[in-house]
Amino acid sequence: MAFKKLTTQATVPDSPDRLFLDLPRRKLASLFDHQGQMLRNYAAKAIKASDVALQLPTGSGKTLVGLLLAEWRRRKYGERVLYLCPTRQLVNQVAEEASQKYGITVQPFTGARRDYSPDAKAAYEDANRVAVTTYNSLFNTNPYFENPDVIIVDDAHAAESYMASQWTMRIDRYEEKDEVLHKAVAAVLKPLLSTQNYSRLLGVWEGVDDMSWTDKIPTHELVQIADELRATINANVSESKQRYTWKMLSNHLHACQLYVSSSEIMLRPLIPPTWSHAPFIGAKQRIFMSATLGAGGDLERLTGRPSIMRLPIPEGWDKQGIGRRFFLFPEKSLTEDETVELRRRLMRKAHRSLVLTPSKAEADAVIEDVKENLNYATFTAADLEVSKTEFTGSRNAVAVIANRYDGIDFPEDDCRLLFVEGLSRTTNLQERFLINRMGANLLFNERIQTRVLQAIGRCTRGLNDYSAVVVTGNELPAYLTDRERRTYFHPELQAELRFGLEQSTNMTADEFLDNFDIFLEHEEAWEDANEGILEVRAAATQKIFPAMDQLENVVSHEIAWQAASWNQDYEKAYDAAREVLGGLNHAELRGYRALWHYLAGSSAEAAAKAGNSGFDTMARTQYRKAKEAANGIPWLITLARGDTPSGPDRDADQDSTVLMQVEQLEARLVKLGTLHNRDFSAREKTIREGLQDGERFEQAQVLLGEHLGFSAGKREEDASPDPWWMVGDIVIVFEDHANAKGESTIVDATKARQAASHPNWMRENVPGCKDARILPVLVTPAKRAKEGAMPSLKQVAHWDVVQFREWAEQALIVIRDLRRDFRQQGDLMWRAQAAQALTDNLIAAPVLLTWLEARPANEHLTSVS
């Protein structure tokens, strides 16, 4: 055969925007001005930067900018360039666009490493083509891409879950292959948890408070059990997919956080240690592209990179949005059943629609409903991962995607109807803990906003796209409709939401459908409505979240703390934590500052154990400061150690119990929703009516306890008590006599002994009660008791049923007043207000218990023979 001719290096322009003109197969005549501007800014400022971030809004041609940068660097410097996408579907989409629209030949890599062809590998390794692949292809324990020169991260806002996954061990109680591992790890954690929380961990639930429970194992306790935990996981992880992640974590437990909930156990470092992943850290440059990069150092926290150069959004995009969204909030006007029926009717009109749900169970329920009532084809994320062609080619179809905010796009006529059903603000236990337990909302404001924007923008990817967005559930409607929070949104979104809210109030299902018809037609009737949206947009301004400058200034020290902890340099970690604390002064960062005092204390304690003198005193000081900063955070009140050598702090215990009750009240308010008053008012009505009815009194008492922030329950078993209310180590268990015949009723010895025995039953049958302070309470209209009942009644509190109803009515009013000011979980100012209101009105568990303990039944009932 003939020898191959050596190729010569073609001349490469000095800027990537000029390379576009040298692409003979391109279908576009020229770049948009903003694309050229971004590429020239890069060439002028960022060629040699280690980490660069480009903000380009959705629909602005971000993919072309990224591909031109990749191709230009490959040609100019002979570099191996890796272009990362969230999903396989996007890999294929980018490769197709590169070839068909832009005239750039790239090499896509999807599937298993063993299936990569020799030609494909040679094209990348010899820097003859840009490689396009998924995040997971780089972030795993044994990546094929070992030495890229340049890494381009598309949709960087979605990168955290993929990057962090390499160092995140999630042991799912529902995953069959994790079942043995979950039980084994739970057994190791049992001594560190209360009996109630251990039962929650095993999935023994009494109510919504148990289901939403999230906790963190204190750092010093994790260190104490590290050897046992390591041995246990080693012995049980072989059948679990977690075995790959465990390889990355097993020798670094000292640098990890361990979170627990009723559904999973999660082990991970606070910040992903990307500096320990050679293929990522070894690249000459990492380029992060996103529609929203986030302020406050969020991109740095997501990626573990301490300093990222940002190239700002091109001029003109601060007001202009992408496409048009018509928001519908049907639950503002319709019942739950009516809302489901409206969903079906809208799907019939749209033919193709997309549904986003927070979990697979809810996705399965939607799919079942669609099949049963519409007989439409249904598609899941797995079905769409490689290609959307079958979905977009179907006349009638519904795509249902669980627990995904982004990654699959449906532009133009692909889909004109999007349902966002019940999506949560948080995506993992660490976020849930920091927001709901630590009050660190400010830290995640940008991330949550980005997540929400990605969810509602699945079907509006270009300037000419338009889609209706139907929002239902508890958290997301409240998030989007909150008047104050909306001021932090893009002006376009502010205007769309205001319009959508006005069109969703006092509406019938038919009126919703009529408006949807007008929107789908997109003719003159819609033009008039759109003019109103544009007028509101013109008048709107976007506010900046508070304290973003402080969070941005400390993020490099946060990463330094994690890196030092990872390397067991605890003295350096302590210094880094102090640097973080020095920069967190904003009042709304109090919860986050308290956490860093605790982390500083943990680092100092570890340094002391490593033999560094003086650090034990520093640890006690930081723990004390954590506790002082922890007003509103029960987790830190109970865990700040070393500041009460004289023994238990009873006041601190009471404060912690009240705040635990407030946390559970928050969860209850979220569950009932804040978009409208319908469910909340219905719950109040059920309680009020039930308390007046002897037959329904006990069930109403359970609902009342939940409504007030208690974990409440009742079991219909032999010798079981009537309802109980529990929070922390306080348990109030009732013996109800509500349907007795007024004051003429006499409490007999059997009733008294039954009430007095309830604490024993609770300790034997209800998790969390073994070491609790349990008080039996007799709720009765009776004024008299048999002489033989008196000894037992010494151990029982008395609560006149009329007084109980009056107290309950006042308590309902207090909760309604608090709800008016409630916006979201983790608001420390609201928590302080709620704790004071509960205490002042005899609702807080410690003060209610004290009041009842002073009312022994034998002193409030007259003895008769």
Side-chain angles (χ1 to χ4, degrees), residues 375-392:
N375 198 28
Y376 281 12
T378 58
F379 297 82
T380 65
D383 299 326
L384 302 168
E385 188 75 10
V386 176
S387 174
K388 302 178 298 180
T389 303
E390 188 174 353
F391 170 76
T392 56

Side-chain angles (χ1 to χ4, degrees), residues 105 250 360 453 468 567 618 679:
T105 302
S250 60
K360 185 179 183 300
L453 294 178
N567 295 324
M618 297 177 193
D679 292 344

Side-chain angles (χ1 to χ4, degrees), residues 167 182 299 342 589:
W167 299 276
H182 187 279
L299 183 62
L342 176 65
L589 291 174

Side-chain angles (χ1 to χ4, degrees), residues 85-94 109-111 133-137 162 379-391 399-402 404 406-410:
C85 302
T87 67
R88 287 184 295 167
Q89 184 267 325
L90 284 177
V91 169
N92 294 326
Q93 179 178 306
V94 168
F109 288 87
T110 58
T133 189
T134 62
Y135 293 148
N136 287 336
S137 296
Y162 296 95
F379 297 82
T380 65
D383 299 326
L384 302 168
E385 188 75 10
V386 176
S387 174
K388 302 178 298 180
T389 303
E390 188 174 353
F391 170 76
V400 186
I401 299 176
R404 283 274 292 275
D406 51 23
I408 301 178
D409 302 338
F410 297 89

Side-chain angles (χ1 to χ4, degrees), residues 5 47 56 75 184 197 381 392 398 403 440 565 671 706 743 777 794 852:
K5 184 178 179 180
I47 288 177
L56 283 161
R75 295 188 185 192
N197 286 347
T392 56
V398 178
N403 199 26
S565 300
K671 183 71 174 176
E706 293 175 343
E743 297 182 7
V777 178
K794 291 179 181 180
L852 288 169

Side-chain angles (χ1 to χ4, degrees), residues 340 646 665 732:
V340 173
S646 59
L665 173 59
I732 297 170

Side-chain angles (χ1 to χ4, degrees), residues 776-828:
V777 178
L778 178 64
V779 179
T780 179
K783 303 297 183 184
R784 298 176 295 168
K786 291 284 189 178
E787 184 178 350
M790 286 302 178
S792 297
L793 291 177
K794 291 179 181 180
Q795 308 166 50
V796 179
H798 174 268
W799 204 340
D800 181 81
V801 69
V802 174
Q803 284 185 319
F804 178 83
R805 287 172 175 140
E806 291 172 350
W807 173 87
E809 179 59 32
Q810 179 59 29
L812 290 173
I813 293 171
V814 170
I815 300 304
R816 177 170 278 271
D817 288 343
L818 287 172
R819 180 176 177 269
R820 291 191 181 98
D821 296 326
F822 177 74
R823 291 181 57 210
Q824 61 185 354
Q825 287 180 279
D827 183 334
L828 298 186

